Amino acid sequence: ADGLGAAAPRARRGRRVTGSPRAALRRWAGAAWASVLVGYLVVVVRTGSTPLDVLAEIVRFLVEHPAGPVLYALLCVVRPLFLFSSSVLTIGAGHLYGPALGLVVVTIGQNAGALLAYGLGAWFGADLAGRALEHPRWRGVAARLRRHTFETVLTLRLLFTPYDAVNYTAGALRLRRREFVAGNVLGSIAGSLTFLLFGASIGDLSVLADGHWPTLDPWTLAGSATLLGVSLLVSRAVRRRAGARGDGP
């Protein structure tokens, strides 16, 4: 009995050292994700590929593929895992499918990818964020962001804040999920159309392989620039309204 009694504390101590199965799974998943990301970066560095080169290869593969829009949407979903530029993919969708179908493709794909990044941020970053938020000042900031998740995400999207930074941080801070999704969908429309129109204005991307820049359609490009200005004006109005209440993002 004494031996069993002594073994029990040792077993409990062992469990504390090794951690819970959930923590172990998080470590293994994080290591696998880091390996995939490092592998992708190594390939990019060794081949000397730029985001535009990668986009040109994607366009070349999907331009006549019968399931092109579906595959492109799936590419947008997994994009956050590789930290590839969401703007570049949106430009590519505009080039391939035009503003109308392109908006459908990126709205589905990019928002699903944003929710994936939110989930990853919550799973991997909640503990780190929790320790950082032990400081009273940051705890108050996080609480205010949670109370006004929709306005915060909407404003950040209209300001073209880096896409993945918003998604992962929102998850780590455990912002309200439904409001995050709503703010992300509505706030991304203007930005998506801006980049879609820019992509639609681009001529033949294959000339990049010869070291030349493709031609641009000036009218479509002007529409893209107009939407960019409108988006920034709307974001300013949202921030001003929130500031008037004294509780904005």
Side-chain angles (χ1 to χ4, degrees):
D2 291 341
L4 291 175
R10 285 198 298 270
R12 286 193 293 271
R13 286 195 296 270
R15 283 196 294 272
R16 283 196 294 268
V17 171
T18 58
S20 67
R22 182 185 179 91
L25 178 60
R26 187 183 293 119
R27 286 194 296 271
W28 280 105
W33 182 15
S35 299
V36 171
L37 183 57
V38 169
Y40 166 71
L41 293 176
V42 168
V43 171
V44 168
V45 171
R46 284 189 173 182
T47 59
S49 300
T50 66
L52 284 179
D53 295 327
V54 176
L55 178 62
E57 290 298 322
I58 293 172
V59 169
R60 190 176 297 115
F61 175 72
L62 294 179
V63 64
E64 295 183 357
H65 199 290
V70 175
L71 293 176
Y72 207 95
L74 291 175
L75 190 62
C76 292
V77 174
V78 301
R79 179 205 57 76
L81 298 175
F82 302 93
L83 302 180
F84 189 79
S85 171
S86 63
S87 301
V88 171
L89 272 189
T90 306
I91 290 170
H95 179 74
L96 277 172
Y97 309 118
L101 179 57
L103 182 62
V104 175
V105 171
V106 299
T107 297
I108 295 173
Q110 298 283 32
N111 284 286
L115 194 56
L116 171 64
Y118 174 95
L120 290 172
W123 200 45
F124 287 109
D127 292 340
L128 292 174
R131 287 194 288 271
L133 294 177
E134 290 176 359
H135 192 285
R137 178 181 178 182
W138 294 114
R139 187 163 57 243
V141 170
R144 188 174 66 203
L145 292 177
R146 292 189 191 104
R147 285 197 306 271
H148 306 288
T149 296
F150 176 78
E151 294 91 337
T152 298
V153 175
L154 178 66
T155 303
L156 292 174
R157 289 301 182 226
L158 292 172
L159 288 172
F160 296 89
T161 307
Y163 204 78
D164 290 327
V166 174
N167 299 333
Y168 285 115
T169 304
L173 294 178
R174 298 295 177 93
L175 301 190
R176 296 172 179 174
R177 183 179 301 175
R178 291 184 180 179
E179 293 185 19
F180 166 79
V181 172
N184 194 68
V185 171
L186 292 178
S188 297
I189 291 176
S192 295
L193 282 173
T194 299
F195 290 112
L196 286 166
L197 285 171
F198 179 74
S201 73
I202 299 174
D204 187 6
L205 276 176
S206 63
V207 300
L208 288 171
D210 301 323
H212 301 296
W213 284 96
T215 58
L216 298 175
D217 177 71
W219 292 107
T220 311
L221 189 61
S224 174
T226 301
L227 272 176
L228 173 62
V230 170
S231 177
L232 294 176
L233 287 174
V234 171
S235 69
R236 186 175 180 180
V238 171
R239 292 176 66 189
R240 185 176 298 170
R241 178 184 175 187
R245 294 202 311 262
D247 55 5

